[in-house]
Amino acid sequence: MPDEQPTVVLVHGAFAESASWNGVIERLGAAYPVVAAANPLRSVAGDAAYVRDVMAGIGGPVVLVGHSYGGMVITEAATDDSSVRALVYVNAFCPDTGESALTLSGRFPGSTLPDTLVSYPVATGGNEVAIGQDGYPAQFAADVPGDLAKLMARTQRPVTEAALGGGLSAASPAWRSLPSWFVFGDADRNIPVAAHRFMAERAGAGGVREVAGASHAMTVSQPGEVAETIIEAVRGIGG
């Protein structure tokens, strides 16, 4: 019998939310079962545990897709989980053991994100950060229509400093044993394109798509490119 069709699980990153995948979901169409998870953005370990709960509810094979910090989460969530068939990184962090979003974004020059952030304390301890609304369109979504970029600034999900600074705890990252695909923009102002190229090469990616002029928000601005990469991943594992 043929293998069961995998469910595509989409995990957004910081300063976004699950509706940022709407255009990608539309382009995947009815042929691909999809779930867009609401990433808590509290800690790498806790967020990964939540994604594992989502996968357990699906109860079958999955392809994990992460955007930005969501790449940290899917790498952690896939550890020792036999239901995960492939990983897709969309302008995303692809960490090795101990690496955090902060260490990877600072490994190469070019990120202008720190200067746009606002932070404030949260009742559970520590701080969380968001991108200031005035700076959000240029920083996060430069190739998104202005009115939509402003809406995204208002609906963004803040992330804790603990999540951004938390390292991958897995003794061996999941991409060492699972096939992975990468799609990223060369105009990403959050994560330097040199970092994306480095991570894709290090992971021995099964496919790499670099999109000229694409901002960090390419799930919104370039949903077709993202969907095509996901489809390549699903087909690449025989789904």
Side-chain angles (χ1 to χ4, degrees), residues 11-12 37-54 69-70 72-74 76-77 157 159-160 162-164:
V11 181
H12 68 81
N39 188 356
L41 304 177
R42 301 295 88 183
S43 70
V44 175
D47 298 342
Y50 172 73
V51 171
R52 289 192 196 101
D53 289 342
V54 173
Y69 164 80
M72 296 288 306
V73 176
I74 67 168
E76 184 81 20
R157 296 274 303 281
V159 63
T160 65
L164 294 178

mmCIF file of all heavy atoms in Angstrom, residues 11-12 37-54 69-70 72-74 76-77 157 159-160 162-164:
data_model
loop_
_atom_site.group_PDB
_atom_site.id
_atom_site.type_symbol
_atom_site.label_atom_id
_atom_site.label_comp_id
_atom_site.label_asym_id
_atom_site.label_seq_id
_atom_site.Cartn_x
_atom_site.Cartn_y
_atom_site.Cartn_z
ATOM 1 N N VAL A 11 4.506 26.358 10.998
ATOM 2 C CA VAL A 11 4.815 26.964 12.293
ATOM 3 C C VAL A 11 5.386 28.364 12.060
ATOM 4 O O VAL A 11 6.498 28.507 11.547
ATOM 5 C CB VAL A 11 5.815 26.106 13.091
ATOM 6 C CG1 VAL A 11 6.098 26.741 14.455
ATOM 7 C CG2 VAL A 11 5.276 24.684 13.270
ATOM 8 N N HIS A 12 4.625 29.384 12.416
ATOM 9 C CA HIS A 12 5.076 30.759 12.219
ATOM 10 C C HIS A 12 6.156 31.118 13.241
ATOM 11 O O HIS A 12 6.362 30.424 14.235
ATOM 12 C CB HIS A 12 3.904 31.741 12.310
ATOM 13 C CG HIS A 12 3.317 31.863 13.689
ATOM 14 N ND1 HIS A 12 3.861 32.646 14.678
ATOM 15 C CD2 HIS A 12 2.215 31.280 14.240
ATOM 16 C CE1 HIS A 12 3.130 32.564 15.764
ATOM 17 N NE2 HIS A 12 2.127 31.733 15.532
ATOM 18 N N ALA A 37 -0.189 25.937 12.873
ATOM 19 C CA ALA A 37 -0.174 25.945 14.331
ATOM 20 C C ALA A 37 0.029 27.359 14.866
ATOM 21 O O ALA A 37 0.703 28.185 14.244
ATOM 22 C CB ALA A 37 0.940 25.031 14.845
ATOM 23 N N ALA A 38 -0.549 27.630 16.023
ATOM 24 C CA ALA A 38 -0.367 28.917 16.698
ATOM 25 C C ALA A 38 0.820 28.796 17.655
ATOM 26 O O ALA A 38 0.686 28.331 18.780
ATOM 27 C CB ALA A 38 -1.632 29.313 17.445
ATOM 28 N N ASN A 39 1.985 29.187 17.198
ATOM 29 C CA ASN A 39 3.216 29.055 17.972
ATOM 30 C C ASN A 39 3.162 29.971 19.194
ATOM 31 O O ASN A 39 3.001 31.186 19.046
ATOM 32 C CB ASN A 39 4.398 29.425 17.072
ATOM 33 C CG ASN A 39 5.748 29.141 17.689
ATOM 34 O OD1 ASN A 39 5.852 28.720 18.829
ATOM 35 N ND2 ASN A 39 6.791 29.389 16.926
ATOM 36 N N PRO A 40 3.326 29.438 20.406
ATOM 37 C CA PRO A 40 3.224 30.290 21.606
ATOM 38 C C PRO A 40 4.313 31.353 21.724
ATOM 39 O O PRO A 40 4.111 32.382 22.367
ATOM 40 C CB PRO A 40 3.321 29.280 22.762
ATOM 41 C CG PRO A 40 2.886 27.974 22.178
ATOM 42 C CD PRO A 40 3.382 27.999 20.760
ATOM 43 N N LEU A 41 5.497 31.107 21.169
ATOM 44 C CA LEU A 41 6.612 32.069 21.198
ATOM 45 C C LEU A 41 7.065 32.390 22.621
ATOM 46 O O LEU A 41 7.438 33.516 22.929
ATOM 47 C CB LEU A 41 6.226 33.369 20.468
ATOM 48 C CG LEU A 41 5.755 33.234 19.019
ATOM 49 C CD1 LEU A 41 5.346 34.597 18.463
ATOM 50 C CD2 LEU A 41 6.823 32.604 18.148
ATOM 51 N N ARG A 42 7.083 31.362 23.477
ATOM 52 C CA ARG A 42 7.494 31.550 24.868
ATOM 53 C C ARG A 42 8.877 30.973 25.147
ATOM 54 O O ARG A 42 9.645 31.545 25.914
ATOM 55 C CB ARG A 42 6.478 30.918 25.825
ATOM 56 C CG ARG A 42 5.053 31.435 25.727
ATOM 57 C CD ARG A 42 4.922 32.892 26.124
ATOM 58 N NE ARG A 42 5.135 33.804 25.006
ATOM 59 C CZ ARG A 42 5.131 35.122 25.124
ATOM 60 N NH1 ARG A 42 4.945 35.684 26.293
ATOM 61 N NH2 ARG A 42 5.324 35.891 24.056
ATOM 62 N N SER A 43 9.182 29.809 24.607
ATOM 63 C CA SER A 43 10.501 29.185 24.775
ATOM 64 C C SER A 43 10.653 28.108 23.722
ATOM 65 O O SER A 43 9.650 27.547 23.254
ATOM 66 C CB SER A 43 10.664 28.572 26.169
ATOM 67 O OG SER A 43 9.844 27.429 26.316
ATOM 68 N N VAL A 44 11.896 27.812 23.345
ATOM 69 C CA VAL A 44 12.115 26.795 22.320
ATOM 70 C C VAL A 44 11.543 25.455 22.779
ATOM 71 O O VAL A 44 10.803 24.791 22.042
ATOM 72 C CB VAL A 44 13.612 26.672 21.980
ATOM 73 C CG1 VAL A 44 13.838 25.517 21.008
ATOM 74 C CG2 VAL A 44 14.140 27.972 21.384
ATOM 75 N N ALA A 45 11.864 25.060 24.005
ATOM 76 C CA ALA A 45 11.402 23.761 24.505
ATOM 77 C C ALA A 45 9.886 23.714 24.630
ATOM 78 O O ALA A 45 9.242 22.742 24.222
ATOM 79 C CB ALA A 45 12.058 23.453 25.844
ATOM 80 N N GLY A 46 9.305 24.765 25.209
ATOM 81 C CA GLY A 46 7.855 24.787 25.394
ATOM 82 C C GLY A 46 7.105 24.872 24.082
ATOM 83 O O GLY A 46 6.073 24.210 23.899
ATOM 84 N N ASP A 47 7.608 25.683 23.155
ATOM 85 C CA ASP A 47 6.956 25.803 21.853
ATOM 86 C C ASP A 47 7.037 24.492 21.079
ATOM 87 O O ASP A 47 6.081 24.097 20.396
ATOM 88 C CB ASP A 47 7.592 26.933 21.049
ATOM 89 C CG ASP A 47 7.443 28.295 21.721
ATOM 90 O OD1 ASP A 47 6.589 28.443 22.614
ATOM 91 O OD2 ASP A 47 8.212 29.208 21.369
ATOM 92 N N ALA A 48 8.182 23.817 21.182
ATOM 93 C CA ALA A 48 8.338 22.529 20.510
ATOM 94 C C ALA A 48 7.398 21.487 21.103
ATOM 95 O O ALA A 48 6.826 20.668 20.370
ATOM 96 C CB ALA A 48 9.784 22.049 20.605
ATOM 97 N N ALA A 49 7.221 21.524 22.414
ATOM 98 C CA ALA A 49 6.296 20.588 23.060
ATOM 99 C C ALA A 49 4.878 20.808 22.544
ATOM 100 O O ALA A 49 4.127 19.849 22.324
ATOM 101 C CB ALA A 49 6.350 20.757 24.576
ATOM 102 N N TYR A 50 4.501 22.066 22.341
ATOM 103 C CA TYR A 50 3.180 22.357 21.806
ATOM 104 C C TYR A 50 3.028 21.807 20.386
ATOM 105 O O TYR A 50 2.000 21.207 20.042
ATOM 106 C CB TYR A 50 2.915 23.858 21.821
ATOM 107 C CG TYR A 50 1.645 24.220 21.093
ATOM 108 C CD1 TYR A 50 0.400 23.944 21.662
ATOM 109 C CD2 TYR A 50 1.684 24.780 19.821
ATOM 110 C CE1 TYR A 50 -0.765 24.232 20.985
ATOM 111 C CE2 TYR A 50 0.516 25.068 19.140
ATOM 112 C CZ TYR A 50 -0.712 24.795 19.721
ATOM 113 O OH TYR A 50 -1.871 25.067 19.040
ATOM 114 N N VAL A 51 4.052 21.990 19.557
ATOM 115 C CA VAL A 51 3.986 21.480 18.182
ATOM 116 C C VAL A 51 3.897 19.949 18.200
ATOM 117 O O VAL A 51 3.182 19.351 17.379
ATOM 118 C CB VAL A 51 5.188 21.972 17.359
ATOM 119 C CG1 VAL A 51 5.254 21.268 16.006
ATOM 120 C CG2 VAL A 51 5.096 23.482 17.147
ATOM 121 N N ARG A 52 4.585 19.310 19.133
ATOM 122 C CA ARG A 52 4.455 17.850 19.250
ATOM 123 C C ARG A 52 3.015 17.460 19.601
ATOM 124 O O ARG A 52 2.515 16.433 19.131
ATOM 125 C CB ARG A 52 5.427 17.313 20.304
ATOM 126 C CG ARG A 52 6.886 17.368 19.893
ATOM 127 C CD ARG A 52 7.747 16.557 20.854
ATOM 128 N NE ARG A 52 9.147 16.893 20.694
ATOM 129 C CZ ARG A 52 9.837 17.701 21.506
ATOM 130 N NH1 ARG A 52 9.220 18.247 22.549
ATOM 131 N NH2 ARG A 52 11.099 17.960 21.283
ATOM 132 N N ASP A 53 2.360 18.265 20.444
ATOM 133 C CA ASP A 53 0.956 17.997 20.751
ATOM 134 C C ASP A 53 0.099 18.087 19.485
ATOM 135 O O ASP A 53 -0.808 17.281 19.279
ATOM 136 C CB ASP A 53 0.435 18.987 21.792
ATOM 137 C CG ASP A 53 1.000 18.751 23.182
ATOM 138 O OD1 ASP A 53 1.514 17.643 23.430
ATOM 139 O OD2 ASP A 53 0.926 19.684 24.015
ATOM 140 N N VAL A 54 0.376 19.097 18.660
ATOM 141 C CA VAL A 54 -0.351 19.234 17.393
ATOM 142 C C VAL A 54 -0.131 18.000 16.526
ATOM 143 O O VAL A 54 -1.075 17.446 15.942
ATOM 144 C CB VAL A 54 0.087 20.515 16.658
ATOM 145 C CG1 VAL A 54 -0.528 20.571 15.260
ATOM 146 C CG2 VAL A 54 -0.300 21.755 17.452
ATOM 147 N N TYR A 69 11.915 32.193 13.534
ATOM 148 C CA TYR A 69 12.116 31.463 14.794
ATOM 149 C C TYR A 69 11.409 30.105 14.766
ATOM 150 O O TYR A 69 11.820 29.171 15.470
ATOM 151 C CB TYR A 69 11.612 32.328 15.953
ATOM 152 C CG TYR A 69 11.395 31.593 17.246
ATOM 153 C CD1 TYR A 69 12.469 31.288 18.089
ATOM 154 C CD2 TYR A 69 10.112 31.202 17.637
ATOM 155 C CE1 TYR A 69 12.256 30.598 19.283
ATOM 156 C CE2 TYR A 69 9.903 30.528 18.822
ATOM 157 C CZ TYR A 69 10.969 30.220 19.646
ATOM 158 O OH TYR A 69 10.761 29.538 20.819
ATOM 159 N N GLY A 70 10.380 29.976 13.944
ATOM 160 C CA GLY A 70 9.715 28.679 13.814
ATOM 161 C C GLY A 70 10.655 27.576 13.376
ATOM 162 O O GLY A 70 10.401 26.396 13.629
ATOM 163 N N MET A 72 13.640 27.166 14.607
ATOM 164 C CA MET A 72 14.148 26.645 15.880
ATOM 165 C C MET A 72 13.182 25.607 16.436
ATOM 166 O O MET A 72 13.585 24.521 16.884
ATOM 167 C CB MET A 72 14.297 27.782 16.890
ATOM 168 C CG MET A 72 15.300 28.862 16.554
ATOM 169 S SD MET A 72 17.028 28.334 16.710
ATOM 170 C CE MET A 72 17.077 27.714 18.394
ATOM 171 N N VAL A 73 11.908 25.954 16.394
ATOM 172 C CA VAL A 73 10.876 25.122 17.008
ATOM 173 C C VAL A 73 10.719 23.793 16.273
ATOM 174 O O VAL A 73 10.647 22.731 16.905
ATOM 175 C CB VAL A 73 9.541 25.886 17.064
ATOM 176 C CG1 VAL A 73 8.425 24.999 17.612
ATOM 177 C CG2 VAL A 73 9.688 27.150 17.905
ATOM 178 N N ILE A 74 10.673 23.817 14.940
ATOM 179 C CA ILE A 74 10.478 22.550 14.232
ATOM 180 C C ILE A 74 11.692 21.646 14.363
ATOM 181 O O ILE A 74 11.557 20.414 14.399
ATOM 182 C CB ILE A 74 10.107 22.763 12.747
ATOM 183 C CG1 ILE A 74 11.251 23.376 11.937
ATOM 184 C CG2 ILE A 74 8.830 23.581 12.617
ATOM 185 C CD1 ILE A 74 11.028 23.343 10.419
ATOM 186 N N GLU A 76 13.626 21.406 17.007
ATOM 187 C CA GLU A 76 13.500 20.792 18.334
ATOM 188 C C GLU A 76 12.358 19.784 18.363
ATOM 189 O O GLU A 76 12.495 18.682 18.907
ATOM 190 C CB GLU A 76 13.272 21.884 19.379
ATOM 191 C CG GLU A 76 13.219 21.402 20.815
ATOM 192 C CD GLU A 76 14.588 21.177 21.436
ATOM 193 O OE1 GLU A 76 15.580 21.736 20.934
ATOM 194 O OE2 GLU A 76 14.665 20.436 22.431
ATOM 195 N N ALA A 77 11.221 20.139 17.765
ATOM 196 C CA ALA A 77 10.041 19.274 17.823
ATOM 197 C C ALA A 77 10.252 17.961 17.076
ATOM 198 O O ALA A 77 9.660 16.935 17.429
ATOM 199 C CB ALA A 77 8.827 19.998 17.256
ATOM 200 N N ARG A 157 2.660 38.747 16.718
ATOM 201 C CA ARG A 157 2.764 38.095 18.010
ATOM 202 C C ARG A 157 4.149 38.366 18.588
ATOM 203 O O ARG A 157 5.157 37.983 17.998
ATOM 204 C CB ARG A 157 2.565 36.584 17.842
ATOM 205 C CG ARG A 157 1.186 36.166 17.346
ATOM 206 C CD ARG A 157 0.201 36.015 18.479
ATOM 207 N NE ARG A 157 0.705 35.062 19.454
ATOM 208 C CZ ARG A 157 0.655 33.718 19.313
ATOM 209 N NH1 ARG A 157 0.128 33.197 18.217
ATOM 210 N NH2 ARG A 157 1.117 32.936 20.254
ATOM 211 N N VAL A 159 7.478 37.941 21.013
ATOM 212 C CA VAL A 159 8.234 36.759 21.416
ATOM 213 C C VAL A 159 9.033 37.105 22.670
ATOM 214 O O VAL A 159 9.431 38.257 22.863
ATOM 215 C CB VAL A 159 9.180 36.303 20.277
ATOM 216 C CG1 VAL A 159 10.222 37.369 19.959
ATOM 217 C CG2 VAL A 159 9.842 34.972 20.588
ATOM 218 N N THR A 160 9.261 36.139 23.537
ATOM 219 C CA THR A 160 10.050 36.412 24.726
ATOM 220 C C THR A 160 11.539 36.448 24.384
ATOM 221 O O THR A 160 11.996 35.781 23.447
ATOM 222 C CB THR A 160 9.834 35.356 25.821
ATOM 223 O OG1 THR A 160 10.321 34.085 25.357
ATOM 224 C CG2 THR A 160 8.363 35.242 26.206
ATOM 225 N N ALA A 162 13.641 35.097 26.209
ATOM 226 C CA ALA A 162 14.093 33.740 26.533
ATOM 227 C C ALA A 162 13.993 32.825 25.323
ATOM 228 O O ALA A 162 14.861 31.965 25.102
ATOM 229 C CB ALA A 162 13.273 33.178 27.694
ATOM 230 N N ALA A 163 12.947 32.992 24.523
ATOM 231 C CA ALA A 163 12.791 32.158 23.323
ATOM 232 C C ALA A 163 13.875 32.464 22.306
ATOM 233 O O ALA A 163 14.485 31.554 21.728
ATOM 234 C CB ALA A 163 11.408 32.373 22.717
ATOM 235 N N LEU A 164 14.147 33.749 22.087
ATOM 236 C CA LEU A 164 15.157 34.121 21.110
ATOM 237 C C LEU A 164 16.560 33.709 21.553
ATOM 238 O O LEU A 164 17.422 33.425 20.722
ATOM 239 C CB LEU A 164 15.121 35.634 20.864
ATOM 240 C CG LEU A 164 13.853 36.173 20.195
ATOM 241 C CD1 LEU A 164 13.942 37.684 20.052
ATOM 242 C CD2 LEU A 164 13.612 35.524 18.841
#
